[in-house]
Amino acid sequence: LGRRGAARSMREMLMDLRPWTLGLCLFAALTAGCVSSEIPREVATVFAETTDVVVPGDDLDLVGTLHMPNYDEDQLVPAVVLVHGSGPQGRDETLAGQLNMSFPEPISLFVELAEQLQSDGLGVLRYDKRTCGPFNGLCDNDYPFPPDEVGVDHFVADAVNAARWLAEQDGVDPARVLVVGHSQGGGMVPRMLTQAPELAAGISLAGNWRPIDVLLQYQLDFTVELLESLGYSTQQIEAVVGDLRAMVEELAALRDGTFAGATIGGASVEFWQGWMDLDDARPDEVAALDRPILALNGGMDWNVPEDPELSGWAAALDANAVAGNDAVGLPCLTHAFNCVQGETIG
């Protein structure tokens, strides 16, 4: 053969050999592996860190603390935002007790949760609620005095904004960001998931299922029964529950459309109406969700009783039937998620 013929034949021979060569390489990869010229890259570890942060907002920049766990630089970790209960709560959410029960020492629920979740490999963001600041001496930040119209819609928007900020942080998996709400924050979880379809799931800790006005009626009845069992007189009982009774009666009038005042319990009518509207919408919002909720309630919770709050969550989550939905009772836990066993308050 001439040179051209030889060249063509060699190409043809190589083309004929390529499938066999590929097959041998695949076989080797399944056994001893094919030789690669690529040098494995060393993966650096980012070590656990807790830092003060600022979460930019439309009308208020939230200040908080970000907990990040140990993680490899090519790894993304799940992360949660901790959302407060009612009242002017700071990022620690420190609770001295619950309804009709004081604790031996205050419990900083969000600090304990954040530190444990961080050690378990999750990122955690906790922040000062917009109603906690220098104006009431409860938080060390530069928040301005909140306007009268501040209500649950602002708290929901702050939590959603915080979750979206968290999803953008280095090391955080944006597909695995959750909201974890406690008490009032737990009741807001369905609204947060509704407003932020990118959130993966939500967890309600001691969240109420029934509307707040119904829950306050329970708290009134429970307190009266407890004081009666302890031998308090009618006059003594009214001295303890008088303000709560007035709130319950005024909220009943507000629901009936007959309340003529401007405030209830020191908060505006608009605040209470917004909270009741959010609670009233909860069943429909849960029914429409396509992401799971975990509801946890404690058997020793005297603020938001496991019975019947948890059964309300359970029925709605069962009917929704999204994979991962669950409602779990934790028998010894109080509203602060500490354990009471007999006379011992843990």
Side-chain angles (χ1 to χ4, degrees):
L1 296 174
R3 277 203 211 162
R4 258 185 212 197
R8 281 198 300 271
S9 295
M10 185 60 70
R11 283 200 299 270
E12 289 167 1
M13 288 172 64
L14 289 173
M15 291 298 290
D16 289 340
L17 282 173
R18 269 206 291 189
W20 293 99
T21 305
L22 178 61
L24 288 171
C25 188
L26 287 173
F27 176 77
L30 293 174
T31 54
C34 289
V35 176
S36 172
S37 60
E38 184 176 334
I39 300 174
R41 181 176 64 86
E42 290 188 8
V43 177
T45 297
V46 178
F47 293 100
E49 188 176 19
T50 300
T51 55
D52 289 337
V53 296
V54 176
V55 180
D58 292 334
D59 66 326
L60 178 68
D61 293 344
L62 300 172
V63 296
T65 301
L66 176 63
H67 301 252
M68 287 297 293
N70 293 334
Y71 64 94
D72 293 337
E73 65 178 3
D74 61 350
Q75 174 191 8
L76 296 176
V77 301
V80 303
V81 175
L82 300 180
V83 185
H84 327 74
S86 60
Q89 300 285 353
R91 73 190 77 178
D92 296 353
E93 201 184 46
T94 301
L95 305 170
Q98 65 174 4
L99 181 69
N100 303 317
M101 179 190 293
S102 60
F103 302 150
E105 59 185 47
I107 294 172
S108 294
L109 175 57
F110 280 7
V111 175
E112 294 194 21
L113 283 175
E115 290 176 348
Q116 184 61 54
L117 292 172
Q118 180 184 30
S119 69
D120 289 340
L122 283 78
V124 183
L125 173 63
R126 52 190 180 91
Y127 59 92
D128 292 344
K129 198 173 181 178
R130 63 168 57 221
T131 52
C132 187
F135 44 83
N136 51 23
L138 297 175
C139 283
D140 183 15
N141 55 43
D142 59 356
Y143 289 180
F145 192 91
D148 292 340
E149 64 268 18
V150 166
V152 291
D153 289 344
H154 294 87
F155 305 151
V156 170
D158 286 344
V160 168
N161 184 55
R164 287 172 171 160
W165 178 88
L166 180 59
E168 297 174 348
Q169 302 313 298
D170 292 343
V172 171
D173 185 350
R176 291 188 292 164
V177 173
L178 294 79
V179 284
V180 179
H182 176 244
S183 193
Q184 182 189 58
M188 297 190 307
V189 164
R191 177 66 56 85
M192 291 185 278
L193 293 178
T194 299
Q195 291 192 0
E198 69 272 25
L199 289 171
I203 299 175
S204 167
L205 307 178
N208 60 302
W209 178 258
R210 295 176 298 173
I212 183 58
D213 54 322
V214 178
L215 185 61
L216 289 177
Q217 178 70 64
Y218 150 79
Q219 292 184 359
L220 173 62
D221 296 340
F222 172 79
T223 302
V224 170
E225 291 175 9
L226 177 64
L227 295 178
E228 287 177 344
S229 72
L230 295 174
Y232 280 63
S233 68
T234 300
Q235 184 177 4
Q236 290 172 322
I237 292 173
E238 284 308 307
V240 173
V241 304
D243 290 343
L244 178 56
R245 187 183 299 280
M247 286 178 58
V248 168
E249 293 173 351
E250 289 168 351
L251 286 172
L254 179 62
R255 185 170 284 280
D256 292 341
T258 59
F259 183 69
T263 63
I264 297 175
S268 69
V269 167
E270 291 76 18
F271 173 86
W272 287 106
Q273 188 64 61
W275 194 350
M276 289 165 59
D277 290 345
L278 178 138
D279 287 347
D280 291 345
R282 188 177 299 115
D284 288 342
E285 289 177 343
V286 170
L289 284 175
D290 58 355
R291 285 146 295 145
I293 289 177
L294 169 64
L296 302 174
N297 289 77
M300 289 297 294
D301 187 342
W302 292 355
N303 290 51
V304 182
E306 177 184 358
D307 180 18
E309 301 306 317
L310 190 64
S311 60
W313 283 106
L317 294 173
D318 285 348
N320 172 265
V322 168
N325 277 344
D326 204 0
V328 179
L330 303 168
C332 75
L333 296 193
T334 74
H335 193 63
F337 270 53
N338 60 324
C339 188
V340 174
Q341 294 179 312
E343 299 297 318
T344 303
I345 300 176

